[in-house]
Every structure is written in structure tokens, then in C-alpha cells.
Amino acid sequence: MAQEAFGFLEEEKLIPFTEGVLRVFDRWGERTRRHKARLKFLIAEMGLTEFLRLVEEERLSLRYQTYPVDAGDVAQPLPPSLPIDLPILPEGRESDFRLWFETNVFRQKQEGYYAVGLKVPLGNLSSHLARSLAAIVRQYAADEIRITINQGYLLKFVQPEALPALFLELDRLEMAYPGYDSTADITACPGTDTCNLGISNSTGVAAALEKVLIDEYPDLLHNRDIKIKISGCPNSCGQHAMASIGFHGSSIKLGERVMPALQVLLGGSAEGEAAIAEKVIKIPSRRGPDALRLLIDDYQTEGLEGEYFVDYFRRQGKMYFYSLLKPLANLDQAVPEWYIDWGSETDFAVETAVGECAGVIIDLVATLLYDAEEKASWALAAFESGYWADSIYHSYNVFVTTAKALLLTEDVRNSNQMAVMRDYDRLLADKMQWKFPEGSFVAHVLRINQQTPGQDFAARYLSDALAFLDKAGKIRPASPDLQTLKQTQS
Ligand code: SF4
């Protein structure tokens, strides 16, 4: 259906399709239970066919039906002029350079140039280091850095004679780790380090696994087939579901005590025939390195010549790996260390919270009305600039946000925009006695889907949204604190 509607394999229809997806997710996606605030849950709930039907329904209201993408329009970065006295490789550094060259440097399509991958542990880069890196990049590569999906960086247009100097400069910053995008270049989300949704530590276990690979399996610095990715909870920010070997944070209860755990997933792949990794078994977090050793040893002895890990997983099947790892899930031998998570010194406890921000006390209704006012100002600005579709969508958000504020005065909280609109009709329509020509608030607001964006409709829709906000503001004026805030900001 999506293919018929959007032909989404055609590049020029991809952007409008994506905007439709975002709008449907905004309207129907879960917002209250944050651990369910993911597109995958919405699709699982309503089914792909219904989801795509709703996306198609959005199409008429989008600013662009097609959006030509011409890669040729993007200015190509230029190689730098190199300093005359390039540093040379000192004696004794040849083998380090060779390993870095073999694992991090790639020949570009453009004759005579190389791209250089930087392995950045956990993707962390301080501002101080970033400034030093930028100075090096300007000197030896094109003035552009690409951030890669594996939390690394890619430099382009490095000339062969500049490679040793670049290696030495990166090494000075401790950024010349070999094994870019290799098995030993593990991707991990922040997990319990900073994320309130994290169940168990993902960064500490990533470091422990990288150490195993570098110390015990150095050949895997050259391997780009097996990808390892880790998330601190099932939400997959660390992309564990597309890893050959994935882990996500979890916990295991043993009697009265709880230990940090890793759910092991295998067989995912983002390349060739893409595949979602399958859940295999849950093990104590502290057994992560042993699990990795078992999996690598088994693959190296039982895998066929030239067989990719994902193909090996498919050939052996999930139960084979379940049996292989099952001894690690045996809790009979549990030792005190298993109750302490990576990077911690105290016993583990599950401490998830609602989100990633610190708790504050605010007047939610007033804040929502303020939010609606802000969206109204965007709608006006877009209208004045002639961006009809944008203005209409901001006006749509004025309706929804205002209705949400009104419902909150009745202590009604909603999990998504559609629920807000329906609850308004169900719970407030009689009380407010505001008449909508279309018969209901839902129909009044969802006119957005029935119209091609144009000046007339944008003007009417904006004026209706402002009138709705105005009435709501008279019922529930903003709190004095908010008025102060608004005055301060204006
Ligand atoms: S996957 Fe990681 S970053 Fe994403 S919500 Fe879970 S712990 Fe937080």
C-alpha cells in the first residue's frame, strides 16, 4: 500500500512519506507510558496496514507531495593544502601505524584519496578534545566530519602522504584506536549512566567486552562481519536488535535479591538481507564476557569457511545457541559479584523512572496553554511567510494542546493526540457548549486531512484555532508565575 501511495523506494517521495509517518506517530503514538513511546509499539498495536492507511490519509495535507533530492547539489568537500614539513613516523611505530591503516583507512572512490574512520569509545567526545580534533581535521582532511551509526567519525579526502602525520596527531589525542567499525567497536547507549529508563549498565559491559576482544581475539579488529551492540533496556537506542550479537539491560530475581542481567539477542543484521535479532537467553550481566567467549569460540570452530556469523546463526538455529549459553544462566553458582552491576560498587537495584529529565514542579495546565500560545505564534509566522501547510500543522497543534490543557483541568490525562480529541468530545463538549460546524471537535480538527494546503483554508483553520485557544484562556488564565515567565522571555 505504501508503495502504491508513496512509492517510497523513490527517493523524491521519501521525505513526504517520512513526514506522514511522523504526523501519524504524533497523533496516535503513546505518550504517557514512556517505555511504550516507540513507533514499533504503535505498529504492533494497530497493524502495519492500518498504520500505512493513516499515513496515506495525511498525504493531502503535506507541504510537499514530492521532494526532489539531488546529491549533486551538495558541495563536495575539498582536500586541504598540506604543510610542507609533514611529520614522519618515528622508528618503532610502524606496526601500530600498519594496524591502524589496515583497520581504519579506506580507499575512496575519488582516485588518490583515503577516508579515515575514528573509533570513539561509546561515542563520547569532550568539547576540549573536539576542538583539538577539529584543528587536526582541518590540517589533514577535508573540512567535514561524518558521524557514523556506530558512534564513530569518518574523515574524508586524506592524501596518502598525510596518513602517517594524521595517525600521529590522532594518537596524541588517544583517537587512533585500531578496529574502526570492527567487532571490537561496540555500540552502546548510555544506559543507567544517564538514562532514567535504563535497567542495567550498558557502557561498563561494553568496555569489558571490548577488552576481551582486544586482549583475547585481536584478529577480530579486522572483522566487520560480527557487530556487537548494547542497550540498557529493551528500547533499543543502542540498536541491539540489528546486531549479530546484541544485549539489552534487564534484571533477574533470585529469592529476595535482584541481579543485573543481559538479554542476549543473536542473528540481527543491517546489511544484505536485513534481519531482526532473536532473543535467545537472559544471563547475569557479569557473565557477559563469558557469553562472548563462548559465542566467538563456537563460531570460529563450527562456522564453515567464509560463512558469515548471521548465516551461521540461521544454520544452527536459536535453540542451538540457547543450549550453548544455558550454563551461563545457571544461578546455582551465584557469587556476590553478580549482584553488583558494571561500574558500580554497591548491590544492584532496579531504579527506572519516567524519563530523562529531572523532576520539577510546574503548573501543567498553564504550561500547556503557554505551549499552545507559542504554537499559535509559529502558525501566524508561517502564515505570514506563505507556508500554508506549516501554518495549518501548527494550528492543528494549537487545537490539540489547548484541548489537552482543558482536559487536565478535569484531571483527565491522555496518552496520545487522538485520545485528547476524542476525550474532548466525550467529556467536555456538553460542558463547554462550544459548537463546531462539523458536529464534533474531532471532525473540526481533522479537517486538516481533508484539504489541500492553501491560503483560504490556512486562514480559516488558524482563526478557528486562535478562537479555541482564546476561549480556553478565558476559562483557565495562565498562572501568575507563567505570566512573569512570559514577560521575562518577551
Ligand atoms: S535503550 Fe538505553 S538510552 Fe534508550 S531508553 Fe533504554 S537505557 Fe535509555
Side-chain angles (χ1 to χ4, degrees):
M1 183 191 281
Q3 222 154 344
E4 287 162 22
F6 287 89
F8 65 74
L9 295 179
E10 294 171 32
E11 222 170 38
E12 62 175 24
K13 292 186 178 165
L14 241 170
I15 290 176
F17 177 75
T18 312
E19 195 179 345
V21 167
L22 286 175
R23 286 188 176 197
V24 172
F25 181 54
D26 261 356
R27 189 167 305 144
W28 293 86
E30 174 68 46
R31 283 290 180 271
T32 308
R33 294 168 298 158
R34 294 191 186 196
H35 60 289
K36 292 275 181 188
R38 298 288 188 279
L39 186 58
K40 63 184 178 181
F41 292 116
L42 180 63
I43 291 177
E45 194 183 307
M46 64 171 47
L48 183 61
T49 307
E50 175 61 5
F51 178 78
L52 291 174
R53 188 190 69 72
L54 290 170
V55 174
E56 164 62 4
E57 222 173 64
E58 290 302 307
R59 186 151 69 120
L60 190 62
S61 63
L62 301 180
R63 184 165 161 192
Y64 298 105
Q65 299 297 307
T66 59
Y67 193 96
V69 179
D70 183 358
D73 277 355
V74 181
Q76 283 302 306
L78 297 171
S81 314
L82 294 175
I84 302 165
D85 51 344
L86 279 169
I88 53 165
L89 209 57
E91 222 170 289
R93 299 300 315 271
E94 293 86 354
S95 63
D96 293 339
F97 174 73
R98 198 175 319 113
L99 180 60
W100 175 81
F101 180 81
E102 285 168 2
T103 60
N104 293 40
V105 180
F106 315 85
R107 201 182 283 277
Q108 280 187 201
K109 269 195 301 191
Q110 294 81 359
E111 194 59 39
Y113 295 108
Y114 289 87
V116 174
L118 305 191
K119 181 176 171 232
V120 185
L122 303 170
N124 289 336
L125 188 72
S126 67
S127 51
H128 172 71
L129 205 53
R131 287 191 187 93
S132 306
L133 176 65
I136 292 172
V137 171
R138 276 197 200 102
Q139 202 167 7
Y140 297 110
D143 192 9
E144 176 185 301
I145 299 177
R146 291 209 178 177
I147 296 173
T148 64
I149 194 164
N150 57 345
Q151 301 177 322
Y153 297 134
L154 194 67
L155 315 183
K156 302 196 296 183
F157 286 102
V158 182
Q159 296 160 69
E161 59 273 32
L163 284 167
L166 177 61
F167 165 75
L168 291 172
E169 292 282 25
L170 290 173
D171 192 43
R172 188 171 54 80
L173 300 183
E174 296 188 6
M175 293 195 75
Y177 299 109
Y180 166 80
D181 200 24
S182 71
T183 307
D185 191 359
I186 297 179
T187 307
C189 80
T192 47
D193 286 358
T194 57
C195 178
N196 271 343
L197 299 178
I199 300 172
S200 62
N201 183 292
S202 43
T203 55
V205 73
L209 298 187
E210 281 198 357
K211 181 162 174 20
V212 167
L213 292 164
I214 291 164
D215 291 352
E216 302 170 34
Y217 303 91
D219 282 356
L220 292 181
L221 286 172
H222 297 264
N223 183 305
R224 292 217 170 84
D225 155 38
I226 306 172
K227 296 280 195 278
I228 302 176
K229 296 174 188 283
I230 306 173
S231 304
C233 81
N235 275 336
S236 211
C237 304
Q239 311 155 8
H240 60 259
M242 51 192 270
S244 337
I245 301 175
F247 300 95
H248 77 65
S250 187
S251 63
I252 297 175
K253 198 150 192 261
L254 183 60
E256 292 300 302
R257 300 182 70 188
V258 186
M259 68 177 70
L262 290 171
Q263 174 68 55
V264 183
L265 299 98
L266 299 174
S269 170
E271 280 151 35
E273 199 183 320
I276 301 287
E278 289 190 56
K279 280 188 179 182
V280 173
I281 195 167
K282 196 196 281 192
I283 56 170
S285 279
R286 289 285 177 173
R287 311 230 65 188
D290 291 334
L292 183 61
R293 287 185 187 101
L294 273 176
L295 289 166
I296 300 287
D297 290 347
D298 172 73
Y299 171 60
Q300 289 186 338
T301 50
E302 302 298 330
L304 304 175
E305 182 68 32
E307 188 175 35
Y308 290 122
F309 184 86
V310 66
D311 295 326
Y312 178 62
F313 173 78
R314 286 174 191 153
R315 177 162 67 81
Q316 296 285 30
K318 172 177 162 173
M319 287 317 292
Y320 172 88
F321 291 94
Y322 175 79
S323 305
L324 180 73
L325 298 176
K326 195 158 181 275
L328 299 181
N330 182 352
L331 304 181
D332 292 346
Q333 317 289 320
V335 294
E337 191 198 23
W338 293 8
Y339 293 94
I340 299 171
D341 207 353
W342 295 97
S344 175
E345 290 176 355
T346 54
D347 272 8
F348 174 76
V350 177
E351 288 174 351
T352 54
V354 291
E356 307 202 9
C357 55
V360 287
I361 297 171
I362 51 170
D363 177 345
L364 262 184
V365 175
T367 306
L368 280 169
L369 288 173
Y370 182 34
D371 195 17
E373 278 180 25
E374 192 174 29
K375 282 165 180 157
S377 70
W378 297 345
L380 267 169
F383 185 85
E384 280 161 9
S385 304
Y387 296 137
W388 315 128
D390 291 357
S391 171
I392 291 165
Y393 197 61
H394 292 314
S395 298
Y396 161 84
N397 278 310
V398 172
F399 279 119
V400 175
T401 311
T402 307
K404 190 173 175 181
L406 291 173
L407 284 163
L408 206 58
T409 61
E410 305 285 315
D411 211 19
V412 178
R413 290 160 195 265
N414 308 88
S415 55
N416 63 45
Q417 294 180 346
M418 205 58 213
V420 168
M421 290 187 267
R422 285 176 173 165
D423 274 356
Y424 179 90
D425 278 332
R426 195 168 60 84
L427 302 167
L428 290 182
D430 286 346
K431 185 175 172 184
M432 298 297 176
Q433 295 198 329
W434 300 340
K435 299 287 176 224
F436 300 109
E438 296 76 15
S440 70
F441 182 62
V442 171
H444 188 61
V445 178
L446 289 188
R447 281 177 295 161
I448 186 174
N449 288 335
Q450 318 294 318
Q451 309 278 338
T452 308
Q455 184 171 5
D456 285 353
F457 177 63
R460 245 181 305 128
Y461 199 63
L462 173 58
S463 146
D464 291 344
L466 292 176
F468 186 65
L469 174 61
D470 190 47
K471 283 184 198 168
K474 283 180 182 139
I475 289 176
R476 175 61 151 82
S479 70
D481 281 355
L482 190 72
Q483 298 291 11
T484 315
L485 174 69
K486 282 159 68 177
Q487 279 158 12
T488 318
Q489 292 192 344
S490 58

